Amino acid sequence: MTSNHPATARSATNRVGTSSSHGKTILIGEHAVVYGAPALVLPVNDVRVTATVTPISASGDGHRLESTVHTGPLDLAPAAVMPTVTAVTATLRHLGSTDQHFHVRVDSDVPTARGMGSSAAVAAAVTAAVADALGVTLDVETHHELIQECERVAHGRPSGLDARGVVADVPVWFEGGRIEPVELTGEFVFVVADTGVPGHTREAVAAVREHHDRDPENVDAVVAQIGALARRARGTLVDGDAQALGATMDAAHELLISLDVSSDDLDRLVGAARSADALGAKLTGGGRGGCVLALAADGEHAERIAVALRDAGATATWTTRIGDRA
């Protein structure tokens, strides 16, 4: 990894560093992306993580973390926050500034285990805030590699999809390891709803793999259909065609049901969104729990969809807008 500004890092500083990132959600392509199909990832700009990094005396007890999971010395942090620990130590190591100690505060609205990129969003905010405290602005690829280092601690072999999605301001096209921003025509309004049940991504991935081992021809056909829907959805974003985008979302959910990665909770919320006249609705993320994504006609419609989703059992809802406001 290289930084555009390695020489500007200081070994001691009184500067308070800050940075923020946001959640993400998959529009089309979950599970199929594992088998080579493309995926579209949306930023969820209204669900944010903020990191604040304050220098403390080098003669103290080392770095400290303040978060909902752990507050105390960084070297006593539990396994659940090791990706956050890595965000601090990897950034300092990269910038050659290991003699400065920091108090790292993380304020996150991104729910964990819901397919919204919580670990990547925290890593994005913390790595950039540590660099900021040292007077450094990380270039895009260095920032990405630092987030990926944290994601490897969290997930083993991350695709990079979350790491790109939590820092992007526009939808991201992910195919064959390549990332492209997707320009939009008009504004799209989405509602994300939490079932209240943690997603079971590994279980769902294993189920799809089992289906593929048993009936590869059928699963490959479904993967190809999801890939085609992703390409169609990209076109609808570029064209500003919300009605057509909603239709691709509905079709994608039915294909994911056929892969056995949905659940009664997810299907119930999808049904509630459609009953509230959502333009489209589907599960998002690994499935077997987690969240539903619904497309609204406008902000007022999004509020009605959100109420219907909460009435149907959603434990939380978020409304997010992407694209140009009319």
Side-chain angles (χ1 to χ4, degrees):
M1 294 181 295
T2 59
S3 171
N4 285 341
H5 312 280
T8 65
R10 298 188 294 273
S11 59
T13 178
N14 292 317
R15 178 188 178 102
V16 176
T18 61
S19 186
S20 65
S21 61
H22 52 71
K24 67 88 178 131
T25 189
I26 297 177
L27 177 56
I28 306 280
E30 48 272 277
H31 291 286
V33 72
V34 176
Y35 296 88
L40 268 169
V41 183
L42 297 178
V44 184
N45 293 310
D46 301 73
V47 184
R48 304 197 68 81
V49 175
T50 300
T52 306
V53 175
T54 306
I56 57 178
S57 171
S59 62
D61 296 327
H63 304 293
R64 293 185 64 83
L65 175 64
E66 181 182 350
S67 73
T68 56
V69 178
H70 172 75
T71 295
L74 200 69
D75 57 6
L76 297 180
V81 292
M82 284 309 297
T84 307
V85 174
T86 301
V88 177
T89 58
T91 306
L92 290 173
R93 184 178 66 251
H94 172 70
L95 296 176
S97 299
T98 58
D99 57 344
Q100 173 70 59
H101 295 162
F102 292 105
H103 178 103
V104 179
R105 174 172 173 165
V106 178
D107 295 293
S108 178
D109 296 326
V110 184
T112 60
R114 297 300 193 271
M116 293 181 69
S118 174
S119 62
V122 170
V126 172
T127 52
V130 170
D132 185 44
L134 293 169
V136 175
T137 299
L138 298 170
D139 65 80
V140 171
E141 288 308 312
T142 298
H143 194 201
H144 175 71
E145 288 302 321
L146 286 169
I147 300 169
Q148 280 291 83
E149 185 168 344
C150 304
E151 285 289 270
R152 284 189 283 272
V153 174
H155 301 297
R157 298 179 62 186
S159 66
L161 188 151
D162 281 13
R164 298 292 189 184
V166 299
V167 297
D169 293 325
V170 297
V172 171
W173 178 260
F174 186 88
E175 184 174 15
R178 293 180 293 107
I179 296 287
E180 297 176 16
V182 178
E183 298 300 327
L184 304 177
T185 301
E187 182 184 57
F188 295 83
V189 184
F190 294 91
V191 179
V192 183
D194 187 356
T195 61
V197 179
H200 293 84
T201 301
R202 290 187 181 182
E203 176 186 306
V205 169
V208 176
R209 185 180 302 115
E210 181 181 337
H211 281 301
H212 190 268
D213 291 343
R214 188 171 62 248
D215 189 0
E217 184 175 346
N218 182 59
V219 173
D220 285 344
V222 172
V223 166
Q225 291 176 72
I226 293 175
L229 288 174
R231 291 184 174 87
R232 189 182 308 164
R234 180 176 183 173
T236 65
L237 289 172
V238 172
D239 295 339
D241 190 341
Q243 290 285 350
L245 178 59
T248 67
M249 294 171 65
D250 286 341
H253 185 72
E254 300 311 309
L255 290 172
L256 291 167
I257 289 175
S258 75
L259 291 177
D260 194 27
V261 297
S262 191
S263 67
D264 290 343
D265 293 315
L266 290 164
D267 292 342
R268 183 178 67 255
L269 293 189
V270 166
R274 291 174 181 172
S275 294
D277 298 321
L279 303 183
K282 60 180 285 293
L283 71 84
T284 180
R288 302 284 182 94
C291 291
V292 158
L293 180 68
L295 177 61
D298 52 36
E300 183 180 346
H301 186 204
E303 286 300 315
R304 288 193 282 112
I305 293 171
V307 169
L309 286 164
R310 291 192 294 271
D311 287 346
T315 57
T317 60
W318 304 270
T319 297
T320 190
R321 301 169 183 262
I322 59 170
D324 297 329
R325 294 173 186 260

